[in-house]
Amino acid sequence: AADLDGVLALRKGMLRRMPRLAVRADLLDAHLYIVSNWTLRVPPAEKQDLYVSLQSELLPALVRGQFRAAWRDQAEKARNETTGILPSDSPDEDALNDSIYCHRVNTLDSYASANNDVANHRKPSGFSPLIPLTKNNFVDAGAEIDPKTQVGPDCVVGFGSSIGEKCSIKKSVIGNHCKIGSQCKIVNSVVMDHVTIEDGAIIHSSIISSNCYVRTKCQVTDSVLGVSFELPAENRVDSEQLTNNASPI
């Protein structure tokens, strides 16, 4: 947890299911706050010159201040005086521009949504990872795609990836160094780096994590395959999250 301080307790059942765990203390739980620009001009209620933290100072001040007449008067004054995206004397004045894309990812759905946004350069963000080559898709120059394969709009194919003949790729992101066989269908999905998908496989609305191996004629729908997971040939997976014991999602 972001506010963990001291001892981390783990259940024995979890250790039995996941015998190999990696615990890190150097990760930051990022939060995005969208507030009206006039709030940055309202002076803190406490005796200090400026706000240091949005989470612990500004937001609580906004909640408390709405019940105080004097604070509401200051807020109204700040609202009337403020124009533009940020106050002109703000050090972050140039932080908002068309080349920056920001999307908080803390669920599988939000991760898939972020990938779709990047693949679709027509989104309001205006952010594009690569120069579109044809049909509004983004294919790295180092990728190899069979001429008989169709890569539709809003797709990304990363460096070093290869796609066999008669495949159909729609609204999906293919990572770097992936190997996709012939007659595969990948729709509305995310395939991470170093994934192998054999002939005749169908991936629909799913996330395939790095180093996975999807064997011949498998069907994966609305599911997540964890890191380095191998799916045996001709298996059907629907609405599941599959992972090796040593490779949590």
Side-chain angles (χ1 to χ4, degrees):
D3 57 351
L4 178 65
D5 184 17
V7 178
L8 173 63
L10 298 176
R11 296 181 179 178
K12 291 183 179 179
M14 176 184 294
L15 294 176
R16 283 193 293 267
R17 293 195 310 272
M18 303 289 185
R20 297 175 56 189
L21 295 176
V23 179
R24 302 184 59 167
D26 59 343
L27 303 179
L28 177 65
D29 185 10
H31 292 263
L32 173 65
Y33 298 98
I34 300 177
V35 297
S36 298
N37 49 9
W38 61 265
T39 60
L40 302 178
R41 291 186 176 273
V42 179
E46 292 75 12
K47 295 181 179 179
Q48 60 187 62
D49 295 332
L50 47 81
Y51 293 106
V52 176
S53 169
L54 285 174
Q55 182 179 20
S56 62
E57 295 181 3
L58 177 59
L59 297 183
L62 294 176
V63 174
R64 293 192 303 267
Q66 62 182 323
F67 302 108
R68 302 174 183 173
W71 191 93
R72 290 199 301 270
D73 292 340
Q74 290 179 322
E76 184 65 25
K77 181 180 179 182
R79 184 186 294 110
N80 294 333
E81 293 177 350
T82 302
T83 58
I85 295 178
L86 288 176
S88 59
D89 56 350
S90 169
D92 296 326
E93 184 175 15
D94 297 327
L96 303 178
N97 57 66
D98 292 339
S99 65
I100 295 176
Y101 172 79
C102 184
H103 189 125
R104 187 184 183 196
V105 174
N106 61 344
T107 65
L108 294 175
D109 288 341
S110 60
Y111 176 77
S113 176
N115 277 270
N116 289 335
D117 285 351
V118 172
N120 185 348
H121 71 286
R122 296 182 298 278
K123 292 285 185 178
S125 66
F127 177 81
S128 298
L130 299 169
I131 298 176
L133 297 181
T134 59
K135 299 181 180 179
N136 294 318
N137 55 40
F138 302 87
V139 179
D140 192 278
E144 297 181 2
I145 300 177
D146 188 274
K148 296 182 180 180
T149 281
Q150 296 182 347
V151 180
D154 305 335
C155 288
V156 174
V157 180
F159 173 80
S161 292
S162 63
I163 304 178
E165 65 177 3
K166 297 183 180 179
C167 293
S168 176
I169 314 296
K170 298 180 180 179
K171 296 185 181 298
S172 296
V173 175
I174 310 297
N176 298 324
H177 303 289
C178 293
K179 184 177 180 181
I180 299 174
S182 300
Q183 299 180 334
C184 294
K185 295 182 180 180
I186 302 177
V187 181
N188 196 33
S189 296
V190 177
V191 178
M192 299 185 188
D193 297 343
H194 300 281
V195 170
T196 299
I197 300 176
E198 291 187 344
D199 297 349
I202 299 176
I203 312 294
H204 195 286
S205 300
S206 297
I207 297 176
I208 312 299
S209 302
S210 301
N211 298 298
C212 278
Y213 206 116
V214 180
R215 296 287 183 179
T216 304
K217 296 184 179 179
C218 287
Q219 296 186 24
V220 182
T221 304
D222 296 323
S223 298
V224 179
L225 302 188
V227 176
S228 300
F229 187 84
E230 181 173 342
L231 187 64
E234 300 185 9
N235 263 256
R236 293 190 177 188
V237 178
D238 191 351
S239 303
E240 294 189 53
Q241 296 184 16
L242 302 179
T243 177
N244 299 321
N245 287 338
S247 302
I249 294 176

